[in-house]
Amino acid sequence: MPITISTVNVNGIRAAVRKGMLPWLEATDADVICLQETRANDGELTKVLAPALDAGWHLASAEPSAKGRNGVALLSKAAPDAIRTGIGAAEFADAGRYIEGDFGDVTVASLYLPSGEVGTDRQDEKERYMAAFAKYLSKSAKAAKSSDRDVVVCGDWNIAHTEADLKAWKTNRKNSGFLPEEREWVSRLLAEKSPWTDVVRALHPEVEGPYSWWSYRGKAFDNDAGWRIDYQLATSDLAERAKEAITERAEAYDQRWSDHAPVTVRYR
């Protein structure tokens, strides 16, 4: 069954809606939308997205335990068959960083991986999450294969994998998000015999970017000095069905409703 999936870090759902997210929702042809960094509890999320829910969208969310931080959600045109949250690690059980839903024979997940900061506890937390999440991904892929299902993990991975994924890669080699060990972690996830494929890169193998995040500082957006950190990693059979990947970059700075752009993939 064909399915179109979008993923976007909204950088606060209330701010995103205030800046113009709802018209984008009305126009999108996505069947499932993965949201990250909602910074809202379930009640707040339901309230701010009320127009979309009234129009028929279904909402499932993993609210954060820390007020004003994290939060992931799924918006879908059809109700999911099942919803699960968390990655099975006690430390991150209430972090609001992972949610997945079953839609027919496809499981769609929304991930918000920690951003980190070199030399701080935030980087330590990121590395612990990465270790736990790698184990979860391995189990998820094996379970999907045994039950003849497909999985796609969408979201803000907060790591630019290669030099092609970051405009200013030379000046960011010692910064979180482009550290050698972080990039190697992604490489291991995507190794030759791995079940996972970076769908956007597979469809755009020879280009810089397409970038999906630009700092609000300076002229990063105007100069397209961005990072490609919003991925859709799909298991093999689903990855082979990917026919088009579009990064929905706003036409102008003042038309942005987040510092991230939606990344949309159409699967046959």
Side-chain angles (χ1 to χ4, degrees), residues 97-120:
R97 290 191 177 276
Y98 186 84
I99 185 171
E100 64 183 30
D102 295 338
F103 300 88
D105 61 358
V106 177
T107 296
V108 181
S110 181
L111 165 73
Y112 180 43
L113 197 139
S115 56
E117 183 179 353
V118 172
T120 71

Side-chain angles (χ1 to χ4, degrees), residues 31-182:
D31 299 295
V32 183
I33 301 171
C34 301
L35 307 178
Q36 301 90 43
E37 206 173 355
T38 61
R39 300 182 191 170
N41 62 35
D42 289 347
E44 293 165 337
L45 195 59
T46 299
K47 182 178 179 180
V48 76
L49 289 175
L53 303 182
D54 290 344
W57 286 95
H58 298 267
L59 173 66
S61 63
E63 64 181 9
S65 57
K67 184 176 178 59
R69 295 183 58 200
N70 308 338
V72 290
L74 298 172
L75 279 172
S76 57
K77 290 181 177 175
D81 302 317
I83 288 290
R84 295 172 294 276
T85 61
I87 60 172
E91 178 183 0
F92 304 110
D94 300 320
R97 290 191 177 276
Y98 186 84
I99 185 171
E100 64 183 30
D102 295 338
F103 300 88
D105 61 358
V106 177
T107 296
V108 181
S110 181
L111 165 73
Y112 180 43
L113 197 139
S115 56
E117 183 179 353
V118 172
T120 71
D121 291 342
R122 291 179 59 200
Q123 189 65 26
D124 295 338
E125 177 191 20
K126 181 176 186 177
E127 292 172 1
R128 292 195 303 274
Y129 194 96
M130 288 162 58
F133 193 55
K135 294 178 182 178
Y136 183 83
L137 284 178
S138 179
K139 293 178 182 178
S140 178
K142 290 177 182 177
K145 184 176 182 179
S146 66
S147 57
D148 198 26
R149 297 185 56 79
D150 291 306
V151 182
V152 57
V153 181
C154 309
D156 181 355
W157 291 68
N158 266 313
I159 300 171
H161 181 207
T162 71
E163 293 172 5
D165 298 314
L166 172 56
K167 183 69 170 286
W169 64 267
K170 290 182 180 179
T171 58
N172 279 285
R173 286 175 288 189
K174 296 183 179 180
N175 292 330
S176 185
F178 199 64
L179 296 173
E181 56 268 34
E182 295 175 335

Side-chain angles (χ1 to χ4, degrees), residues 167 214 218-226 249:
K167 183 69 170 286
W214 303 262
K219 297 285 186 178
F221 182 79
D222 295 333
N223 296 330
D224 201 24
R249 187 181 190 274

